[in-house]
Amino acid sequence: QVQLVESGGGSVQAGGSLRLSCAASGVTYTLCMAWFRQAPGKEREGVAHFDHDGTTRYADSVKGRFTIAKENAKNIVVLEMKSLKPEDTAMYYCAAGVHSCDDGMDYWGKGTLVTISS
């Protein structure tokens, strides 16, 4: 059974930093790991993707502030978030896919809440 478990969410003031981590278990390999977020009343959006060839992709709203990295040996993906803004407040979800990131995600975590106060 595939499980994605997120950790590291919390509440910080604007300008602060947080580090989210996602550990994948029960899956032999993942070609794509990513972070999505959903704010209250808004649709879920992709935040950052780490693809099978090592390329990364970011939403325009987080470029230069967020960094995604994957620890292959441990099947862990982390999201370093800096210069956080109130509009970054959302539930953040880890996702993994057994295909390229362009082919969509196959597995989802339950989410971790990030709250940024002004």
Side-chain angles (χ1 to χ4, degrees):
Q1 183 179 359
V2 177
Q3 281 192 317
L4 300 178
V5 180
E6 303 99 335
S7 61
S11 299
V12 297
Q13 288 191 325
S17 301
L18 282 173
R19 184 177 187 268
L20 306 183
S21 182
C22 172
S25 62
V27 58
T28 305
Y29 68 93
T30 56
L31 292 183
C32 173
M33 293 193 77
W35 287 93
F36 289 74
R37 68 185 181 186
Q38 188 168 20
K42 295 188 177 181
E43 293 186 354
R44 185 176 63 195
E45 64 172 344
V47 176
H49 291 72
F50 193 104
D51 216 332
H52 65 286
D53 57 359
T55 59
T56 56
R57 189 170 65 207
Y58 298 92
D60 288 342
S61 58
V62 306
K63 282 181 182 177
R65 301 188 299 119
F66 290 13
T67 303
I68 188 170
K70 187 179 177 186
E71 299 178 17
N72 287 326
K74 299 180 181 179
N75 227 11
I76 291 173
V77 65
V78 298
L79 185 68
E80 297 278 1
M81 306 186 294
K82 299 180 180 179
S83 302
L84 285 161
K85 304 175 181 179
E87 49 264 43
D88 293 319
T89 295
M91 185 71 81
Y92 283 71
Y93 298 91
C94 175
V98 296
H99 305 285
S100 168
C101 287
D102 289 336
D103 293 328
M105 302 296 112
D106 298 290
Y107 308 108
W108 294 85
K110 294 182 178 181
T112 185
L113 183 63
V114 170
T115 304
I116 311 302
S117 57
S118 57

